[in-house]
Amino acid sequence: MSDRPGKVIGFCCNYTTQVTEEPLKEAGILPESVEFKRLSCTGKLEVSSLLAAFSRHGADAVFVAGCPEEECHNFSGSRRASKRVKYTKQILSELGIEPERIEMFFVPRQETEPVVKAAKEMLSRLEKLGPIIKKDSNNKEGNDSGKAA
Amino acid sequence: MAPKLVEAGRSPNIEILTNARLEALEGKPGNFVAKVYQEPRYIDEDKCTACGTCTMYCPVPVVDLYNERLNVTRAPHIDYAQAIPSCFYIDAKACLRVNHEVCNLCAQTCIAGAIDFTQKPKHLELEIGAVVLSPGFGRISHEVLERFGYGRYPDVLTSMEFERLTCASGPSEGHIIRLSDHKPPKKIAFLQCIGSRDETCGNGYCSSVCCMYAFKEASVAKEHEPDLDIALFFMDIRTQGKGFDLSREQATKKYGFRVIRARVPKVDQVEGKLLLTWTEEDGTPKSEFFDMVVLSIGLESPEDAKEIAEIAGIELNKFNFCKTSIASPLNTTRDGIFVAGAFQGPKDIPESVTQASGVAALASEVLGDSRGTKTITITYPEENQELLKLPPRIGVFVCHCGVNIAGVIDVKSVAEYAATLPDVVLSETTLYSCSQDALRTIAEKIKENQLNRVVIAACSPRTHEPLFKETLRSIGVNAAFIEMANIRDQCAWVHSKEPEAATEKAKDLVRMAVSKARLLEPLYETEVDVTPRALVIGGGVSGMSAAISIADQGYECILIEKTDTLGGIANKLSFTLTGEDPKKIVKELVNRVKKHPKITLYTNATLKNLSGYIGNFISTIDHAGEEIQVEHGVTIIATGGRPYEPKDYLYGQSNRVITQLELEEKLKKGKSSLKNINTVVMIQCVGSRGDDQNYCSKVCCMQAVKNALKLKELKPSIKIYVFYRDMRTYGFSEAFYREAREKGVIFLRYEPDRRPEVIKSGRGIKVKAFDRISQMDIEIPASLVVLSVGISPSEDNDKISKIVKTPITQDGFFLEAHAKLRPVEVAVDGVFICGLSHGPKGIDECIAQAKAAASKAVIPLSKGKVSVEPIVSRIDKDKCIGCGICVSLCPYNAIQMVKVGKRRKAETISASCKGCGICASHCPVLAISMGGFTDEQIFSQIHAFAESYLGTQQKDSQEKKQEQEGEQENKE
């Protein structure tokens, strides 16, 4: 991991995992720069709140960990979340930010390991991407992968 | 457990059929025919010496089920060394010879020729009079355990597996290791209520024992690894047994356990580390990593419960345990078939042992008429007088006790050392000297070598000496010719960290024992006749049940009750949780007591004095001012208890504050009693688990739930709040606790430092308390405050304890002789306890215990004779100056003054003497000596210790010299 890995914010619902970050950080599994935000359901996430994670809360990467697609506690919550992550990816690319800075993960319920893996995936992406540098740019690659997503 | 196993194995009146199952049961009480199917062991029980050669040579590994699959054994094996019968057996499923007719290695290697593949399954028909079902309990299903990561993560263990790990003769030799990397864990979590109190797996009951055993296992672990960090996760801490709360509190403090109140939903693993996530009482989530997680699994009904029920023709309850009632907790639904132990409901060892004695009484009631017709009595060969004439010939047997001793002490060198001591003609080591085969070997060695003194260097004489004495007697050697050196409890266990020094100490102990053994003299047992009559003190449910059982077993019984009515505290109960009518239970008992021709009842009667000893008691009874003297062989104390009188919570100051018993009285009137009563607040643990009475009264939680349900039944709109510390609705009562919550009763927990307060408010009252969930102070205006008061010991206990000379606990209840093995006996022989005099408990438990006491009491009555242990004080009348000091000091009234000629002399009543030695140590003229512990013998032990202490130093230098010489020789 680089010295400045950038901040990762993860949204999990009550049903995916109730774990708090402290013991994971104490055990050296996750760095200080990861933050979990718990929701009653990932379906509650709006595109605006995902964007706010970048703009207001200073995230360099964001992931959403929701119930398995067909097994959401609230039927369609995690599917909704995944759609919104998709829109956010588009918006990010329009803004010239790499869309892979946000990702949706469908994880088995009540298990922490997959959530930790998601956080680690985002961290490793950040290692390549680096923190978001606020400047005007039209990154072609970003646009391409945005479309692909 | 070993002494009980051997006792059962040795009794000529117990026939043990292993590998057997019941196939059919026909007939009626007194005349059953049981069809039993017995699978072959393939090893002849009479020939097998349990040497273990077959296990060594067998090529087929099988998982060791006894060690919870943590170990591997071979197809022929024995579960554990002390197992009864002490004979190996062949796992028929794994054996190559049985399945494929190849191999036969074991049969070829067995020197005793015990392996017999011609054995066939047997169909037996047994004629029996009564049946006892004690199939124990089953396992929580794998599916439930899997929810907690069991099977998926290697470091998630069940409590049973953990128990094996902590066992010195277990798969890890007592070292606590993780199964993943075989390293000791640093942090362990215990999760409670796995498969208990869990509707999702159909076990909506509480297993009653797991809370206590979790503390026990945690304590054992902490003893072994003092740096361990142990957290225990509870919903309620249910340590309601006698003395349990105190030991739990002490252990928690001593070992620094973290007690967390949460139910952890699952065990998670992140990067190979076990992660637990739970919700604190105030709602905040918390997570923590642990190195090992122990699942405290509950007790389920036996796997074959339904099959047993069908064959035996009995009914099961909704949880598949045996169906019983409060009035007859040990009777199944079919006459003549009784139940004991965990099949009747989850329970711990003391209660199982109590129930086991209780069913013996019930069976004896059925079989009373044919008593003695089929019993076999052991006769011992005459004592070999020749041996006495020989000079001391000492045999020393040094026990490995598996690894208990050999793991620390170099037993071989101890045995070698013992061989050098004077008069020692034989010195050997044994693996488990208490096992049947070892006892046989010892007996043979004694005969072969003409030994007339035996020293066993093993464990405590307290538990094992009787066994070795029995062995001596069986070959015609006086039982007094044994001396034990306790090199386990007092050496290997306490010095486990210093093996070399411990070995030296073991040598010291053995030398001391040998020097005492040299001076041992034969002692002879005496027999006294028994007055075939019992005295029962207390006419409550327990006393009446005991009296009826004794009378039904065919012996006279005197029942004394201090008040003018029978029934005791049960008279105050109006209904029970399960719907049985307590009034009816009491009425039936009273009727039977009054009508029974063998029961003499005295009401308004108290015990004034008791003298004599087992078999020959003489009691003075004050019967309404008149003194009566009665002779009886045994005594049962059933003095009962009384409700605690509350001092706080405005009790007595406001008529809105009442006790649960007073509420029951009120509820008898039905709905009309609840006019204007809309909110009821119950407060638990009033006068329990506090400063006043520092123990759990066991019944109050059930009583509160019972009354709350009754209130809801009479008036569904009523609001009920229950303030509790731990809801201890153990066993099947858990279902009623759930029902109460479902019906809207609100349960709020409080800590003892923030007890709820009852305060006056205008004309009414309200309860002020701290709510732990919202973390706020709350006030509840109450139309009625009901105090769940505890059970206080009877005020007579102190007096009776002094008359009978048997101790009471600091809480004021009678102290049993051994909490687990002798739960209804006391320090004085021939005196038994039951019911609330022993400790708080429910009606069903009282009745079971009363039956147990009756069962134990009938043993001397039916034998007609008691033999007296020869370790008693003997007074040399020539030396005695008649000062009487010993008489005044004897705690058992076992010494009396008699006139010899014109002089007063002291005389021991051997049958009463417990051999404590107080008299001997105080006699100013050394006229008293203790059988087996004479001054001479003890001095010789001390001398052996001191003299050799100097001796060892000399010997050390000698050894060094020899070593040096040896080295020189080697060099040359």
Side-chain angles (χ1 to χ4, degrees), chain B residues 178 297 391 543 578 634 682 722 727 805 811 926:
Chain B
R178 310 203 319 163
I297 52 172
T578 53
V634 287
M682 295 183 179
V722 182
M727 277 314 282
K805 296 218 170 188
D811 298 326
L926 305 178

Side-chain angles (χ1 to χ4, degrees), chain B residues 587-651:
Chain B
K587 215 172 140 189
E588 251 166 48
L589 288 172
V590 171
N591 279 344
R592 292 199 58 196
V593 162
K594 287 191 173 159
K595 280 185 191 149
H596 210 296
K598 293 214 182 246
I599 298 177
T600 316
L601 172 69
Y602 295 107
T603 48
N604 290 317
T606 51
L607 182 72
K608 271 197 85 176
N609 193 25
L610 180 133
S611 64
Y613 44 87
I614 177 169
N616 293 283
F617 287 112
I618 300 168
S619 292
T620 315
I621 294 161
D622 181 344
H623 180 222
E626 217 179 299
E627 275 195 9
I628 317 172
Q629 286 232 334
V630 288
E631 285 180 20
H632 53 102
V634 287
T635 312
I636 291 181
I637 301 173
T639 44
R642 64 198 155 95
Y644 172 81
E645 276 163 37
K647 299 184 182 93
D648 307 319
Y649 301 110
L650 298 180
Y651 183 75

Side-chain angles (χ1 to χ4, degrees), chain B residues 901-916:
Chain B
K902 280 185 181 171
R903 299 191 167 199
R904 269 159 41 90
K905 299 279 180 186
E907 190 182 79
T908 309
I909 308 164
S910 299
S912 295
C913 180
K914 304 291 280 179
C916 70

